[in-house]
Amino acid sequence: MAADTQGGTSAGRSMFWQRFRRNRPAMLSAAALVLIALAALLAPAFEAVLGVDATRVDLFNQYAAPDGSHWLGTDEAGRDVLVRLLYGGRISLLVGLVAALGAATIGTAVGLLAGYYGGRLDTLLMRSTDGFIALPLLPLLIILAAVDLAKVGVPPDIANSELASLYRIIFIIALVGWTTVARLVRAGTLSVRTREFVRAAEAMGARPATIMLRHILPNIVSPIIVATTLSIGTVILLESVLSFLGLGIQPPIPSWGNMLTNAQELATRAPALAVWPGVVIFVTVMAFNFLGDGLQDALDPRATRR
Amino acid sequence: MLAFLIRRLFGMAVVLAVMSFVVFMLIGLMPGDPIDIMIASNPDLTPADGERLKRLHGLDLPLWERYANWLGGVFTGDLGFSRTYNRPVLEILLPRLGNTVILLGLSSIVAILVAIPLGVIAATRPQSKLDGAINLFCFAGISVPPFWLALLFIMIFAVALGWLPAGGMGAADAGFFARLEFLVLPVVTLTIASLAGYTRFARAAMIEVLRQDYIRTARAKGLGPRRTVFGHGLRNAMLPLTTIIALDFGTLFSGALITETMFGYLGMGKLIYDSILGNDFNLALVGLLLATLVVLIGNFLADIAYAALDPRISFRALEAA
């Protein structure tokens, strides 16, 4: 899994691009993700053009069928489903990206420290990682989602703000999602640590932090990128299930998960409401998985998976 | 063998102890304590009664002291009472544990039984249409939100077609087979994600194995393709798969929580979820620890299976690992 050191050179980059371009599912996924992200960013434009409002409750227009202005109809409060999906997409994608990056940062730190220092620290960190991987994480996340922010010492103006649920879910998912990256980074660090350029840097008296961040990390970026891309999908799934259970993103902020919260009761009355948010979660997560898979194939030429 | 067992049991005890401490502290950070809730729901209780009750139950003590008291109780066999059910927590947990073990066990078995043939089929025909279809199915399986899948299944098979019950458990006195129809949708829902993951690993492991020299030797001595794959390939490919399955038990339990909640299946996952939301802290804590124990035991069994599958690996080797 050791990244080619030429990964940063232009030759390495063009080889990567050639390989990646041949992978049709990955290319399709990348295009789909760009489209979804663009649509989510342009949510206000959709609102303006279609003449609808994502937040306006209209009880005279509940469960409307799709028409010219409400392309996907309206929900139980008469709000436009399409525009709410787009705003929900902003939240779900934001949580996915930020929490996955946060988790990757924690994992990289743990993996670098364990791999570079070895010995007792390595044993301690990796035993904890192994123990952590085995845990049933969802119940833990549910408890973390229910913790009273005021009792942890979070300032009340943040704890009571509308975005508190957003910050919280990013934080707790990053807190539990770091294990895969930690193991990959440790393995990479172990293989790079003994190389000549690391020895040379040590001989010249470079500080451990410099060696880890300037000399080791750039050489193990590929597996981190792949694992992080794959984990974005997992994070979006986690966010959606927590929000669905009423413990993640709190209404009135829409997220793909909390748009499904009432769907179970509405399954007979308005099945479409239960279908659309699930479809976009499904498509987005699948696209991130195909993208990660394609990146892996393109970044790691030695893995002749096919 | 004995040293291995002791070492593993010690490791499990450490994980459980750390887990109980962390969860106890986190639960202490959740809004509202049991007495506040009791006062809120009973207008006859005065705030002074509340103070007295808190002192009586030791709730006025600092968190770590309460943890020490709780731990002391555990060692004398007292795991505490459930606030909602007014019964000892184990009395409520154990029947639920049985239901969850049935669900998890069936799902694991189905996932393994389907994943291995699928993985072998895909691995022996790499790049074929069939391989592509199986690959697509795997990606779909790991990408679909489980609660949404449950919702779709309910909408299709229970509401629209009326083939299967939308949830519940069936009459308690009904036999196992009468209750089987209530298990179909939960088991399928829970199986999909692990099934997809296992299939990908089975395929990758099988492709790796089929490239080995001993496979070429087996073919060269005139062994048929079928016997080569199943006789020589499969057993070796199973090894990495065992590790993956072992690591999957925690995820599987998380999946059980979702599945049980969606289908109203009275298992541990739903109980833990309900008790966290219902502020039944004792039940949530012990339930979570019991779930962790089940997961750890699952890991342990997978390790044993690993040793049983690979004659080169003795328990001595596992001890060193």
Side-chain angles (χ1 to χ4, degrees), chain A residues 134 136-139 143 146 148 151 237 240-241 244-245 260 264 267-268 271 274-275 278-279 281-282 286 289-290 293 304 306, chain B residues 19 26 28-31 127 135 139-140 142-145 147-148 151 155 159 200 211 250 253-254 258 262 273 276 288 292 295 299:
Chain A
L137 286 182
L138 190 59
I143 292 182
D148 190 347
K151 286 195 191 176
L237 282 182
S240 72
V241 71
F244 169 75
L245 292 172
L260 285 164
Q264 199 158 11
T268 43
V275 172
V279 169
I281 300 172
F282 183 32
M286 192 135 130
N289 284 333
F290 272 124
D293 197 57
T304 42
R306 285 151 195 261
Chain B
M19 182 89 171
L26 285 176
L29 292 172
M30 277 165 57
Q127 303 296 16
N135 190 38
F139 269 92
I142 54 174
S143 308
V144 68
F147 64 96
W148 182 66
L151 204 58
M155 281 163 58
V159 178
R200 293 190 69 197
R211 236 187 260 140
F253 186 84
S254 297
I258 301 170
M262 293 301 294
Y273 173 66
I276 294 172
L288 199 52
T292 311
V295 168
N299 283 331

Short mmCIF file of all heavy atoms in Angstrom, two decimals, chain A residues 134 136-139 143 146 148 151 237 240-241 244-245 260 264 267-268 271 274-275 278-279 281-282 286 289-290 293 304 306, chain B residues 19 26 28-31 127 135 139-140 142-145 147-148 151 155 159 200 211 250 253-254 258 262 273 276 288 292 295 299:
data_model
loop_
_atom_site.label_atom_id
_atom_site.label_comp_id
_atom_site.label_asym_id
_atom_site.label_seq_id
_atom_site.Cartn_x
_atom_site.Cartn_y
_atom_site.Cartn_z
N ALA A 134 -14.03 -3.22 17.76
CA ALA A 134 -14.97 -4.29 18.08
C ALA A 134 -16.25 -3.78 18.73
O ALA A 134 -17.22 -4.50 18.80
CB ALA A 134 -14.28 -5.30 19.00
N PRO A 136 -19.82 -2.04 19.69
CA PRO A 136 -21.04 -1.65 18.98
C PRO A 136 -21.15 -0.13 19.03
O PRO A 136 -21.47 0.44 20.07
CB PRO A 136 -22.16 -2.32 19.77
CG PRO A 136 -21.57 -2.81 21.03
CD PRO A 136 -20.09 -2.65 20.99
N LEU A 137 -20.85 0.54 17.92
CA LEU A 137 -20.69 2.00 17.96
C LEU A 137 -22.01 2.76 17.99
O LEU A 137 -22.09 3.84 18.55
CB LEU A 137 -19.86 2.46 16.76
CG LEU A 137 -18.38 2.13 16.88
CD1 LEU A 137 -17.62 2.66 15.69
CD2 LEU A 137 -17.80 2.70 18.16
N LEU A 138 -23.04 2.20 17.35
CA LEU A 138 -24.28 2.98 17.25
C LEU A 138 -24.88 3.34 18.61
O LEU A 138 -25.21 4.50 18.85
CB LEU A 138 -25.29 2.25 16.36
CG LEU A 138 -26.52 3.08 16.00
CD1 LEU A 138 -26.14 4.35 15.27
CD2 LEU A 138 -27.49 2.27 15.17
N PRO A 139 -24.98 2.36 19.57
CA PRO A 139 -25.49 2.74 20.88
C PRO A 139 -24.62 3.81 21.54
O PRO A 139 -25.15 4.73 22.18
CB PRO A 139 -25.43 1.44 21.69
CG PRO A 139 -25.25 0.35 20.73
CD PRO A 139 -24.76 0.91 19.45
N ILE A 143 -25.79 7.58 22.80
CA ILE A 143 -25.55 8.20 24.11
C ILE A 143 -24.83 9.54 23.93
O ILE A 143 -25.20 10.55 24.53
CB ILE A 143 -24.72 7.26 25.01
CG1 ILE A 143 -25.57 6.04 25.38
CG2 ILE A 143 -24.27 7.98 26.26
CD1 ILE A 143 -24.89 5.07 26.30
N ALA A 146 -27.03 12.19 23.03
CA ALA A 146 -28.00 12.60 24.04
C ALA A 146 -27.35 13.37 25.19
O ALA A 146 -28.05 13.89 26.06
CB ALA A 146 -28.74 11.37 24.58
N ASP A 148 -25.98 16.07 27.55
CA ASP A 148 -26.40 17.46 27.74
C ASP A 148 -25.20 18.39 27.54
O ASP A 148 -24.25 18.36 28.32
CB ASP A 148 -26.94 17.61 29.17
CG ASP A 148 -27.62 18.94 29.38
OD1 ASP A 148 -27.46 19.82 28.51
OD2 ASP A 148 -28.31 19.09 30.40
N LYS A 151 -23.88 20.41 30.42
CA LYS A 151 -23.14 19.72 31.49
C LYS A 151 -21.69 19.46 31.11
O LYS A 151 -20.87 19.15 31.96
CB LYS A 151 -23.82 18.39 31.84
CG LYS A 151 -25.11 18.55 32.62
CD LYS A 151 -25.52 17.22 33.23
CE LYS A 151 -26.94 17.29 33.78
NZ LYS A 151 -27.42 16.01 34.29
N LEU A 237 -24.09 7.79 5.95
CA LEU A 237 -25.04 6.78 6.45
C LEU A 237 -25.30 6.95 7.94
O LEU A 237 -26.44 6.91 8.40
CB LEU A 237 -24.50 5.37 6.19
CG LEU A 237 -24.62 4.81 4.77
CD1 LEU A 237 -24.09 3.38 4.72
CD2 LEU A 237 -26.07 4.83 4.31
N SER A 240 -27.38 9.96 8.62
CA SER A 240 -28.77 9.79 8.23
C SER A 240 -29.50 8.93 9.26
O SER A 240 -30.64 9.23 9.62
CB SER A 240 -28.87 9.19 6.83
OG SER A 240 -28.49 7.84 6.83
N VAL A 241 -28.85 7.89 9.78
CA VAL A 241 -29.58 7.04 10.72
C VAL A 241 -29.80 7.77 12.05
O VAL A 241 -30.87 7.71 12.63
CB VAL A 241 -28.90 5.67 10.93
CG1 VAL A 241 -27.63 5.76 11.71
CG2 VAL A 241 -29.85 4.71 11.63
N PHE A 244 -32.45 10.28 11.46
CA PHE A 244 -33.71 9.56 11.32
C PHE A 244 -34.28 9.20 12.70
O PHE A 244 -35.47 9.34 12.95
CB PHE A 244 -33.50 8.29 10.50
CG PHE A 244 -34.67 7.34 10.52
CD1 PHE A 244 -35.80 7.62 9.78
CD2 PHE A 244 -34.63 6.19 11.27
CE1 PHE A 244 -36.89 6.76 9.79
CE2 PHE A 244 -35.71 5.32 11.29
CZ PHE A 244 -36.85 5.61 10.56
N LEU A 245 -33.40 8.76 13.62
CA LEU A 245 -33.84 8.39 14.96
C LEU A 245 -34.16 9.61 15.82
O LEU A 245 -34.55 9.48 16.97
CB LEU A 245 -32.76 7.54 15.65
CG LEU A 245 -32.51 6.15 15.07
CD1 LEU A 245 -31.30 5.51 15.73
CD2 LEU A 245 -33.73 5.26 15.25
N LEU A 260 -36.74 11.61 6.71
CA LEU A 260 -37.38 10.29 6.71
C LEU A 260 -38.02 9.96 8.05
O LEU A 260 -38.67 8.92 8.20
CB LEU A 260 -36.35 9.21 6.36
CG LEU A 260 -35.94 9.12 4.88
CD1 LEU A 260 -34.67 8.31 4.73
CD2 LEU A 260 -37.06 8.50 4.07
N GLN A 264 -42.17 6.61 8.23
CA GLN A 264 -42.75 5.32 8.59
C GLN A 264 -44.26 5.43 8.81
O GLN A 264 -45.02 4.59 8.34
CB GLN A 264 -42.08 4.77 9.85
CG GLN A 264 -42.29 3.28 10.01
CD GLN A 264 -41.23 2.65 10.89
OE1 GLN A 264 -40.45 3.34 11.55
NE2 GLN A 264 -41.18 1.34 10.90
N ALA A 267 -46.09 6.00 5.46
CA ALA A 267 -45.77 5.05 4.39
C ALA A 267 -46.97 4.75 3.50
O ALA A 267 -46.83 4.58 2.29
CB ALA A 267 -45.22 3.76 4.98
N THR A 268 -48.17 4.68 4.09
CA THR A 268 -49.34 4.35 3.26
C THR A 268 -49.89 5.60 2.59
O THR A 268 -50.36 5.55 1.46
CB THR A 268 -50.45 3.71 4.11
OG1 THR A 268 -50.56 4.44 5.33
CG2 THR A 268 -50.13 2.26 4.39
N PRO A 271 -46.15 7.49 0.09
CA PRO A 271 -44.92 6.68 -0.03
C PRO A 271 -43.77 7.44 -0.67
O PRO A 271 -42.61 7.17 -0.36
CB PRO A 271 -45.35 5.49 -0.89
CG PRO A 271 -46.73 5.76 -1.36
CD PRO A 271 -47.30 6.86 -0.55
N ALA A 274 -41.15 8.78 1.55
CA ALA A 274 -40.22 7.82 2.12
C ALA A 274 -39.19 7.39 1.09
O ALA A 274 -38.16 6.83 1.44
CB ALA A 274 -40.97 6.60 2.65
N VAL A 275 -39.48 7.63 -0.18
CA VAL A 275 -38.59 7.13 -1.22
C VAL A 275 -37.47 8.12 -1.54
O VAL A 275 -36.29 7.75 -1.49
CB VAL A 275 -39.39 6.79 -2.50
CG1 VAL A 275 -38.44 6.46 -3.64
CG2 VAL A 275 -40.33 5.63 -2.23
N GLY A 278 -34.28 8.64 0.76
CA GLY A 278 -33.50 7.41 0.76
C GLY A 278 -32.73 7.23 -0.53
O GLY A 278 -31.56 6.84 -0.52
N VAL A 279 -33.38 7.55 -1.66
CA VAL A 279 -32.71 7.39 -2.95
C VAL A 279 -31.47 8.29 -3.01
O VAL A 279 -30.40 7.85 -3.44
CB VAL A 279 -33.68 7.69 -4.11
CG1 VAL A 279 -32.92 7.80 -5.42
CG2 VAL A 279 -34.74 6.61 -4.21
N ILE A 281 -29.67 9.51 -0.54
CA ILE A 281 -28.63 8.99 0.37
C ILE A 281 -27.92 7.83 -0.32
O ILE A 281 -26.69 7.78 -0.41
CB ILE A 281 -29.21 8.50 1.71
CG1 ILE A 281 -29.93 9.60 2.45
CG2 ILE A 281 -28.09 7.93 2.59
CD1 ILE A 281 -30.69 9.13 3.67
N PHE A 282 -28.72 6.90 -0.82
CA PHE A 282 -28.22 5.69 -1.45
C PHE A 282 -27.26 6.04 -2.60
O PHE A 282 -26.12 5.58 -2.66
CB PHE A 282 -29.43 4.89 -1.95
CG PHE A 282 -29.11 3.56 -2.58
CD1 PHE A 282 -28.04 2.81 -2.17
CD2 PHE A 282 -29.93 3.07 -3.59
CE1 PHE A 282 -27.78 1.58 -2.74
CE2 PHE A 282 -29.67 1.84 -4.16
CZ PHE A 282 -28.59 1.10 -3.75
N MET A 286 -23.23 5.50 -2.53
CA MET A 286 -22.69 4.57 -3.52
C MET A 286 -21.64 5.27 -4.38
O MET A 286 -20.60 4.69 -4.69
CB MET A 286 -23.83 4.05 -4.39
CG MET A 286 -23.43 2.88 -5.23
SD MET A 286 -24.68 1.60 -5.16
CE MET A 286 -24.93 1.27 -6.85
N ASN A 289 -18.46 5.51 -2.54
CA ASN A 289 -17.79 4.20 -2.48
C ASN A 289 -17.11 3.84 -3.80
O ASN A 289 -15.98 3.36 -3.81
CB ASN A 289 -18.79 3.11 -2.07
CG ASN A 289 -19.10 3.16 -0.59
OD1 ASN A 289 -18.28 3.60 0.21
ND2 ASN A 289 -20.28 2.72 -0.21
N PHE A 290 -17.81 4.07 -4.92
CA PHE A 290 -17.19 3.81 -6.22
C PHE A 290 -15.98 4.72 -6.45
O PHE A 290 -14.95 4.30 -6.97
CB PHE A 290 -18.20 4.02 -7.36
CG PHE A 290 -18.99 2.78 -7.68
CD1 PHE A 290 -20.37 2.80 -7.63
CD2 PHE A 290 -18.35 1.61 -8.03
CE1 PHE A 290 -21.10 1.66 -7.93
CE2 PHE A 290 -19.08 0.46 -8.34
CZ PHE A 290 -20.46 0.49 -8.28
N ASP A 293 -13.09 3.49 -4.42
CA ASP A 293 -12.58 2.28 -5.04
C ASP A 293 -11.73 2.61 -6.27
O ASP A 293 -10.64 2.07 -6.46
CB ASP A 293 -13.78 1.41 -5.43
CG ASP A 293 -13.36 -0.02 -5.69
OD1 ASP A 293 -12.77 -0.63 -4.78
OD2 ASP A 293 -13.62 -0.51 -6.81
N THR A 304 -3.29 -5.38 -8.28
CA THR A 304 -3.97 -5.80 -9.51
C THR A 304 -5.23 -6.54 -9.11
O THR A 304 -5.26 -7.75 -9.07
CB THR A 304 -3.06 -6.72 -10.35
OG1 THR A 304 -2.42 -7.62 -9.45
CG2 THR A 304 -2.05 -5.94 -11.11
N ARG A 306 -8.07 -6.67 -10.50
CA ARG A 306 -8.86 -7.32 -11.56
C ARG A 306 -7.94 -8.03 -12.55
O ARG A 306 -6.86 -7.59 -12.80
CB ARG A 306 -9.66 -6.25 -12.32
CG ARG A 306 -10.80 -5.80 -11.50
CD ARG A 306 -11.17 -4.36 -11.80
NE ARG A 306 -12.02 -3.85 -10.75
CZ ARG A 306 -13.33 -3.78 -10.87
NH1 ARG A 306 -13.91 -4.13 -11.96
NH2 ARG A 306 -14.07 -3.33 -9.89
N MET B 19 -15.24 0.41 29.19
CA MET B 19 -16.53 0.75 28.60
C MET B 19 -17.53 1.18 29.68
O MET B 19 -18.24 2.17 29.53
CB MET B 19 -17.04 -0.49 27.85
CG MET B 19 -18.32 -0.30 27.14
SD MET B 19 -18.05 0.29 25.50
CE MET B 19 -19.72 0.13 24.87
N LEU B 26 -20.68 9.23 30.70
CA LEU B 26 -21.48 9.87 29.65
C LEU B 26 -22.95 9.95 30.06
O LEU B 26 -23.61 10.97 29.86
CB LEU B 26 -21.37 9.08 28.34
CG LEU B 26 -20.06 9.23 27.59
CD1 LEU B 26 -20.04 8.33 26.37
CD2 LEU B 26 -19.86 10.68 27.16
N GLY B 28 -24.01 10.12 33.04
CA GLY B 28 -24.09 11.18 34.04
C GLY B 28 -24.21 12.55 33.41
O GLY B 28 -24.66 13.51 34.02
N LEU B 29 -23.76 12.66 32.16
CA LEU B 29 -23.80 13.95 31.45
C LEU B 29 -25.09 14.13 30.67
O LEU B 29 -25.27 15.13 29.99
CB LEU B 29 -22.61 14.05 30.48
CG LEU B 29 -21.24 14.17 31.13
CD1 LEU B 29 -20.15 14.05 30.08
CD2 LEU B 29 -21.11 15.47 31.88
N MET B 30 -25.97 13.13 30.73
CA MET B 30 -27.21 13.28 29.98
C MET B 30 -28.18 14.13 30.79
O MET B 30 -28.09 14.22 32.00
CB MET B 30 -27.79 11.90 29.66
CG MET B 30 -27.14 11.31 28.43
SD MET B 30 -27.40 9.57 28.17
CE MET B 30 -29.15 9.44 28.13
N PRO B 31 -29.12 14.79 30.08
CA PRO B 31 -30.01 15.72 30.77
C PRO B 31 -30.95 14.99 31.73
O PRO B 31 -31.41 13.90 31.43
CB PRO B 31 -30.79 16.38 29.63
CG PRO B 31 -30.63 15.47 28.46
CD PRO B 31 -29.35 14.75 28.64
N GLN B 127 -14.03 -10.30 -14.31
CA GLN B 127 -14.32 -9.44 -15.47
C GLN B 127 -15.53 -9.88 -16.29
O GLN B 127 -15.85 -9.26 -17.28
CB GLN B 127 -13.12 -9.34 -16.44
CG GLN B 127 -11.85 -8.82 -15.82
CD GLN B 127 -11.98 -7.40 -15.33
OE1 GLN B 127 -13.07 -6.88 -15.18
NE2 GLN B 127 -10.87 -6.76 -15.07
N ASN B 135 -20.52 -7.47 -8.25
CA ASN B 135 -19.82 -6.30 -7.75
C ASN B 135 -20.79 -5.14 -7.50
O ASN B 135 -20.77 -4.48 -6.46
CB ASN B 135 -18.74 -5.88 -8.76
CG ASN B 135 -17.82 -4.83 -8.20
OD1 ASN B 135 -17.48 -4.86 -7.02
ND2 ASN B 135 -17.44 -3.87 -9.03
N PHE B 139 -21.69 -3.21 -3.96
CA PHE B 139 -21.61 -1.77 -3.72
C PHE B 139 -22.96 -1.24 -3.25
O PHE B 139 -23.03 -0.39 -2.36
CB PHE B 139 -21.14 -1.04 -4.98
CG PHE B 139 -19.66 -0.88 -5.03
CD1 PHE B 139 -18.87 -1.81 -5.66
CD2 PHE B 139 -19.05 0.20 -4.40
CE1 PHE B 139 -17.50 -1.67 -5.70
CE2 PHE B 139 -17.68 0.35 -4.43
CZ PHE B 139 -16.90 -0.60 -5.07
N ALA B 140 -24.04 -1.75 -3.85
CA ALA B 140 -25.37 -1.31 -3.43
C ALA B 140 -25.61 -1.71 -1.98
O ALA B 140 -26.10 -0.92 -1.18
CB ALA B 140 -26.43 -1.91 -4.34
N ILE B 142 -23.50 -2.21 0.53
CA ILE B 142 -22.82 -1.44 1.58
C ILE B 142 -23.23 0.03 1.56
O ILE B 142 -22.93 0.76 2.47
CB ILE B 142 -21.27 -1.55 1.49
CG1 ILE B 142 -20.78 -1.15 0.10
CG2 ILE B 142 -20.78 -2.94 1.83
CD1 ILE B 142 -19.27 -1.10 0.01
N SER B 143 -23.95 0.45 0.51
CA SER B 143 -24.29 1.87 0.41
C SER B 143 -25.72 2.18 0.82
O SER B 143 -26.07 3.34 1.01
CB SER B 143 -24.10 2.36 -1.03
OG SER B 143 -22.82 2.03 -1.50
N VAL B 144 -26.56 1.17 0.93
CA VAL B 144 -27.97 1.46 1.18
C VAL B 144 -28.16 1.73 2.68
O VAL B 144 -27.60 1.04 3.52
CB VAL B 144 -28.86 0.30 0.70
CG1 VAL B 144 -28.67 -0.95 1.52
CG2 VAL B 144 -30.31 0.71 0.67
N PRO B 145 -28.89 2.81 3.01
CA PRO B 145 -29.15 3.05 4.44
C PRO B 145 -30.05 1.95 4.99
O PRO B 145 -31.16 1.76 4.46
CB PRO B 145 -29.88 4.40 4.47
CG PRO B 145 -29.86 4.93 3.08
CD PRO B 145 -29.51 3.83 2.15
N PHE B 147 -31.96 1.58 7.58
CA PHE B 147 -33.31 1.90 8.07
C PHE B 147 -34.24 2.18 6.89
O PHE B 147 -35.43 1.88 6.93
CB PHE B 147 -33.28 3.11 9.01
CG PHE B 147 -32.85 4.39 8.38
CD1 PHE B 147 -33.79 5.29 7.91
CD2 PHE B 147 -31.51 4.70 8.26
CE1 PHE B 147 -33.40 6.48 7.32
CE2 PHE B 147 -31.11 5.89 7.67
CZ PHE B 147 -32.05 6.78 7.20
N TRP B 148 -33.68 2.71 5.82
CA TRP B 148 -34.49 2.99 4.64
C TRP B 148 -34.87 1.69 3.92
O TRP B 148 -35.99 1.52 3.44
CB TRP B 148 -33.73 3.92 3.70
CG TRP B 148 -34.47 4.32 2.47
CD1 TRP B 148 -35.61 5.08 2.42
CD2 TRP B 148 -34.14 4.00 1.12
NE1 TRP B 148 -36.00 5.24 1.12
CE2 TRP B 148 -35.12 4.60 0.30
CE3 TRP B 148 -33.12 3.27 0.53
CZ2 TRP B 148 -35.10 4.48 -1.09
CZ3 TRP B 148 -33.09 3.16 -0.85
CH2 TRP B 148 -34.07 3.76 -1.65
N LEU B 151 -37.64 0.27 5.72
CA LEU B 151 -38.84 1.03 5.37
C LEU B 151 -39.40 0.56 4.03
O LEU B 151 -40.60 0.33 3.89
CB LEU B 151 -38.44 2.51 5.29
CG LEU B 151 -39.49 3.58 5.48
CD1 LEU B 151 -40.14 3.42 6.84
CD2 LEU B 151 -38.82 4.95 5.39
N MET B 155 -42.94 -1.25 3.26
CA MET B 155 -43.89 -0.69 2.30
C MET B 155 -44.24 -1.69 1.21
O MET B 155 -45.39 -1.77 0.77
CB MET B 155 -43.32 0.60 1.68
CG MET B 155 -43.47 1.80 2.60
SD MET B 155 -42.42 3.19 2.13
CE MET B 155 -42.96 3.50 0.49
N VAL B 159 -47.11 -3.71 3.44
CA VAL B 159 -48.24 -2.84 3.12
C VAL B 159 -48.83 -3.16 1.74
O VAL B 159 -50.02 -3.45 1.62
CB VAL B 159 -47.82 -1.36 3.20
CG1 VAL B 159 -48.99 -0.46 2.82
CG2 VAL B 159 -47.32 -1.02 4.60
N ARG B 200 -17.38 -9.24 -1.05
CA ARG B 200 -16.21 -8.57 -1.63
C ARG B 200 -14.93 -9.18 -1.10
O ARG B 200 -13.98 -9.40 -1.83
CB ARG B 200 -16.25 -7.07 -1.31
CG ARG B 200 -17.38 -6.34 -2.00
CD ARG B 200 -17.24 -4.86 -1.84
NE ARG B 200 -16.10 -4.36 -2.60
CZ ARG B 200 -15.54 -3.17 -2.40
NH1 ARG B 200 -16.00 -2.39 -1.46
NH2 ARG B 200 -14.53 -2.77 -3.12
N ARG B 211 -4.21 -17.59 -7.38
CA ARG B 211 -2.97 -17.24 -8.04
C ARG B 211 -1.79 -18.04 -7.49
O ARG B 211 -0.69 -17.98 -8.02
CB ARG B 211 -2.70 -15.75 -7.82
CG ARG B 211 -2.52 -14.99 -9.10
CD ARG B 211 -2.08 -13.58 -8.80
NE ARG B 211 -3.20 -12.66 -8.89
CZ ARG B 211 -3.40 -11.65 -8.05
NH1 ARG B 211 -2.59 -11.46 -7.03
NH2 ARG B 211 -4.41 -10.85 -8.22
N GLY B 250 -19.44 -6.05 15.96
CA GLY B 250 -19.87 -4.77 16.51
C GLY B 250 -20.80 -4.04 15.57
O GLY B 250 -21.86 -3.54 15.96
N PHE B 253 -24.14 -5.62 15.50
CA PHE B 253 -25.02 -5.25 16.61
C PHE B 253 -25.63 -3.87 16.38
O PHE B 253 -26.81 -3.65 16.66
CB PHE B 253 -24.28 -5.28 17.94
CG PHE B 253 -25.23 -5.04 19.08
CD1 PHE B 253 -25.96 -6.09 19.62
CD2 PHE B 253 -25.45 -3.77 19.57
CE1 PHE B 253 -26.88 -5.87 20.62
CE2 PHE B 253 -26.37 -3.54 20.57
CZ PHE B 253 -27.08 -4.59 21.10
N SER B 254 -24.83 -2.94 15.86
CA SER B 254 -25.38 -1.62 15.52
C SER B 254 -26.52 -1.78 14.53
O SER B 254 -27.55 -1.12 14.64
CB SER B 254 -24.30 -0.72 14.94
OG SER B 254 -23.28 -0.48 15.88
N ILE B 258 -30.84 -0.88 14.70
CA ILE B 258 -31.70 -0.23 13.70
C ILE B 258 -32.83 -1.16 13.28
O ILE B 258 -34.00 -0.79 13.29
CB ILE B 258 -30.87 0.15 12.45
CG1 ILE B 258 -29.74 1.09 12.83
CG2 ILE B 258 -31.76 0.79 11.40
CD1 ILE B 258 -28.75 1.31 11.72
N MET B 262 -36.82 -0.65 13.76
CA MET B 262 -37.70 -0.48 12.60
C MET B 262 -38.84 -1.50 12.60
O MET B 262 -39.96 -1.19 12.22
CB MET B 262 -36.92 -0.64 11.29
CG MET B 262 -35.90 0.44 11.02
SD MET B 262 -36.62 2.08 10.92
CE MET B 262 -37.64 1.94 9.47
N TYR B 273 -31.90 1.31 22.88
CA TYR B 273 -32.34 2.57 22.29
C TYR B 273 -33.48 3.18 23.11
O TYR B 273 -33.42 4.35 23.51
CB TYR B 273 -32.79 2.32 20.85
CG TYR B 273 -33.43 3.49 20.17
CD1 TYR B 273 -32.69 4.64 19.90
CD2 TYR B 273 -34.77 3.45 19.79
CE1 TYR B 273 -33.29 5.72 19.27
CE2 TYR B 273 -35.37 4.51 19.16
CZ TYR B 273 -34.63 5.66 18.90
OH TYR B 273 -35.22 6.72 18.28
N ILE B 276 -32.25 4.45 26.54
CA ILE B 276 -31.50 5.71 26.50
C ILE B 276 -32.48 6.87 26.35
O ILE B 276 -32.42 7.86 27.08
CB ILE B 276 -30.48 5.72 25.35
CG1 ILE B 276 -29.39 4.68 25.58
CG2 ILE B 276 -29.83 7.10 25.23
CD1 ILE B 276 -28.45 4.50 24.41
N LEU B 288 -25.89 -2.06 27.36
CA LEU B 288 -24.76 -1.77 26.48
C LEU B 288 -23.56 -2.66 26.81
O LEU B 288 -22.86 -3.15 25.92
CB LEU B 288 -24.39 -0.29 26.62
CG LEU B 288 -23.58 0.31 25.51
CD1 LEU B 288 -24.22 0.04 24.17
CD2 LEU B 288 -23.44 1.81 25.72
N THR B 292 -21.80 -5.40 24.47
CA THR B 292 -20.36 -5.43 24.24
C THR B 292 -19.81 -6.82 24.53
O THR B 292 -18.99 -7.34 23.77
CB THR B 292 -19.66 -4.40 25.15
OG1 THR B 292 -20.34 -3.16 25.02
CG2 THR B 292 -18.22 -4.23 24.75
N VAL B 295 -20.54 -9.11 21.71
CA VAL B 295 -19.64 -8.83 20.59
C VAL B 295 -18.25 -9.40 20.86
O VAL B 295 -17.63 -10.03 19.99
CB VAL B 295 -19.57 -7.31 20.35
CG1 VAL B 295 -18.44 -6.98 19.40
CG2 VAL B 295 -20.89 -6.81 19.81
N ASN B 299 -16.14 -12.21 18.77
CA ASN B 299 -14.76 -12.08 18.31
C ASN B 299 -13.92 -13.28 18.71
O ASN B 299 -13.13 -13.81 17.93
CB ASN B 299 -14.10 -10.85 18.95
CG ASN B 299 -14.55 -9.59 18.29
OD1 ASN B 299 -14.88 -9.60 17.13
ND2 ASN B 299 -14.59 -8.51 19.03
#
